[in-house]
Amino acid sequence: MVAATGHADTSVGHDELIKAVDRALTTHGRALLTGPAGAGKTEVARAVAAAAESRRETVLRLSPEAADQWIPEASAAALLASVPGTALDRLSGPQRTAIALLRREADAPRAGRDHVALRLAVVEVLRTLAARQPVLLVLDNAQWLDAESTDLLRFALRLTPPRVRVLVAECVQGGAAVGEPLCGPGTPAIPVPPLGADEVAELLVRRGLPARLAGRIHQASGGNPRLALALGQSLADARDGSAHHADTLPVSGPAREVARRLLAAAPARARRTLLLAALAARPTTALLRRAGRPDAEAELAEAERAALVSVGEDGAVEFTAGALPTVLAADAGWPERAAGHAALAAAVDDPVQAVRHRALAVDTPDQWLAAEITEAAAACRRRGQRALAAELGLLAAERTPSQLAGEELARLVAAAEDAGWAGRADLARRATRAVLARDASPADRVRARLAVIDAAGQALGTLEETFAHAMDDAAGDPALQAAVQLRIAWKHNLSDGDPVRSRDAAAAAGELAAQGGDQVAEAMALTVRARMGRILGDCDAEDILAEALALPAPEVPLGMRNAPRYLAVRHALFDDRLADARRQLMVLLPAVQRTGSAEDVFEVLRSLTEVELRGGRCEAASAHARRALELTIEAGLSPGPAWYVAAMAEAMGGGFARAAGYARRGIQASEEEHDQVFLSRSLHALGLVELATGEAAKAVATLHRVAALEGAQQVVDPSILRWHGDLAEALVAADAPEEAARLIDCVRGVALRLGRAGVVAALDRAQGLCLSAQGDADAAVTLLEATEQRFAALRLPLERGRTLLALARVERRRRRRAPARAALLAAAGEFERAGATPWTELAGEPAAAPGEGSGAEPVASLTEAEIRLAVLVGQGASNQEAAAKLFLSVKTVEARLTRIYQKLNVRSRAQLATALHGGR
């Protein structure tokens, strides 16, 4: 017997599953837990056992290892060796002797062993234990029970009383399952589902592993907890947790062993088919048949039963975990991989894939093959498949004979640029290293280094040396210097948080571009100047953008965020011209999808998410956010921006808890990549959730961080990231209306000067709450009613709904329940039409607030922050406990509690509790 104990990871993603197992044990007395190796069956069994022990049940646990299955009676002996000696006292002589023989405590008699006595002895032991208290028998790793122990336990469990419950956890890897025969027919079989991306992130955080790449680890692990942890550990060990978001995940050491164990569940005859599927870009059953696997359907069906692949109705084959094809290919020898690629080359329909497989089937230079691969890369470029073009470009360079050094170099430079477009930092670095190792011209070296910069996403702060070398190589060439200066301008804004230096670098880039005759670079430099000018509140920002828009430029230049057309869309969003912004984005989306730049597609999806949220179309916004997150994981983009987008979509149209999780992940990723821009945004998303869920003190702390970051970045225009009104509202809720009033007055002047009507309205909502907190309820209601109408005129439904919520709160404080209810109903209608699920729930008419009712008029004088503290103290919380829950200092709690006592004219906690309940 092994006593069940708690485990750090039992609660990650398994709470509902543990409840389901407990229900099955309560109803049927038996439960069978199934799932692949590493799915978390052991953790769930431990949690169920721990819960049973907490109820004073006797827990017997048996967990055989792989070697035990070949030792007759090993598991039964281990189980009985753990039973307390008192459970053997009632056994008859033959039964006691049978157990002693099983436990190797006596020599076997000449007449042989009494197997009937042994079986009855096991039954009697279980009955004796159950007579004292309920028994839970946990059989983990049941697939490794030896045959004799399985037979013995099957007999005993048929005769045990109902007070003996049995949980069997089993991983079927070939052969017959033992769980159902052991427990009996009709036993509920409960599969352990894979973890979601959120749960994988939580699992990694709990183990102190790098969670920034949780999305990619989830994809590579398929949600298998053991494989996810092994991949996270591989990252931590290999690169001290600092792996680039686009790097190939290291499937080595423990991660490879876990993957191998999963693959061992497939019969040997299916391994060849699985290898071919791993080598193919888009495997299907038809393709695998043509490639020489006539029984592909049957073999894949076996692999599907082992949870290794899923096969769609159209025959498309997809591995359940991205690490599986990597390990299959790595474990296969070169001859086997070469033969597989040769077979696939003859079977695929796509000529590009045919060339790719032919190239991978050989490892010697071939001039004509290299030329074919180069043509295939060009075809991918035209299709917008820039990542595949980069891979093919590198392959073409590898197959180029040494005497054609010029062609090899050109192919490497093109591969680097394709990787830069696609955001594939791993391929860009690989191609650039090869360029720099050859006798390349300064122009080629600059082009290669710019590709590394372009592929780095948000992580530009680590590329100081690359920028320095690029500037040195570009000396004497104004066009190249302009290209480098333009990237330096991006870095100053993104990583350094310095829009002034960014604007100056962009101005220098524009002058150099004009000298070099590069109008595209000149337009992009003007765009950066206009962007920074908007941030800094410059009056000429719109004129500079108009100048950029007047220059001829390609439909979508590299770096959508710095294209004039795209900045015009962003300005429309900032100005609440949402219909205009949405129309332009719908034109840009197919254009950027044709280019193959994953970052550009992400940028458009991000803006679409923000436009749809602002316009009250939460369902459409959530769809765009999901696509943005999927693209980020698939293309290996910087994860911070995607987590921010997901956080905002969830905060408005999903759920506050998930929104907070996404926001925290975005904060972590942005901090690791020194991305000041999206760090502010993710913090704002978290602060908004904290404000909405009543954690006012936390919201103040979080939004103060946003204010500090924006101040350090010299941001003047309040329409870009609208945190000001939220911070003011949080300050009011945290009982600091004076500070809120100062903030409102400070920002309002700038917003009025710049004509930011939506920002002014948000400030007025906060002002209304501030007036109410300061005792001027009539003025508060008048202002909030006018603000609600302005938001309606601006066509900002979610902001109107939030204003109606604020109005309802103020009306309730001044005891006007009918107007409060009407405001709540109007807010709920606005949120429901927008699909803003969490806000609709907030607008559901709450029960009477503490103290509402006869005899409790003084309670109405308390602020929201004071009511929250009063409720906690009235329920028995100490000052220290209340301080911890409200995110305050003990000194602040004491001062606030003194004011509460004075307002309610009470002298003790007991009197406070009575006052809160209206004297009842």
Side-chain angles (χ1 to χ4, degrees), residues 770-828:
C770 194
L771 289 169
S772 175
Q774 293 172 329
D776 195 349
D778 291 340
V781 168
T782 300
L783 180 57
L784 289 172
E785 288 176 341
T787 302
E788 171 259 315
Q789 290 299 317
R790 271 186 290 151
F791 275 130
L794 288 168
R795 297 185 180 179
L796 300 177
L798 296 183
E799 296 298 329
R800 177 174 182 258
R802 288 183 60 186
T803 307
L804 287 165
L805 276 182
L807 177 60
R809 197 173 307 140
V810 172
E811 292 284 25
R812 286 183 66 230
R813 283 201 65 201
R814 63 176 191 161
R815 325 295 302 164
R816 288 165 53 87
R817 303 186 69 175
R821 186 177 296 109
L824 279 176
L825 288 172

Side-chain angles (χ1 to χ4, degrees), residues 305-367:
R305 283 193 292 273
L308 298 175
V309 298
S310 62
V311 182
E313 293 183 2
D314 59 351
V317 180
E318 185 175 352
F319 283 90
T320 54
L324 299 180
T326 302
V327 171
L328 278 166
D331 285 351
W334 160 251
E336 195 176 2
R337 287 199 304 272
H341 282 299
L344 288 167
V348 293
D349 298 324
D350 184 356
V352 169
Q353 287 298 326
V355 172
R356 172 178 169 271
H357 285 300
R358 283 172 50 211
L360 291 169
V362 298
D363 61 352
T364 55
D366 183 324
Q367 174 182 353

Side-chain angles (χ1 to χ4, degrees), residues 9 12 195 198-209 224-226 228-229:
D9 299 324
V12 179
L195 299 181
D198 289 351
E199 293 157 347
V200 167
E202 178 66 18
L203 185 67
L204 295 169
V205 168
R206 290 192 182 195
R207 290 294 187 92
L209 295 172
N224 183 289
R226 187 180 301 165
L229 286 171

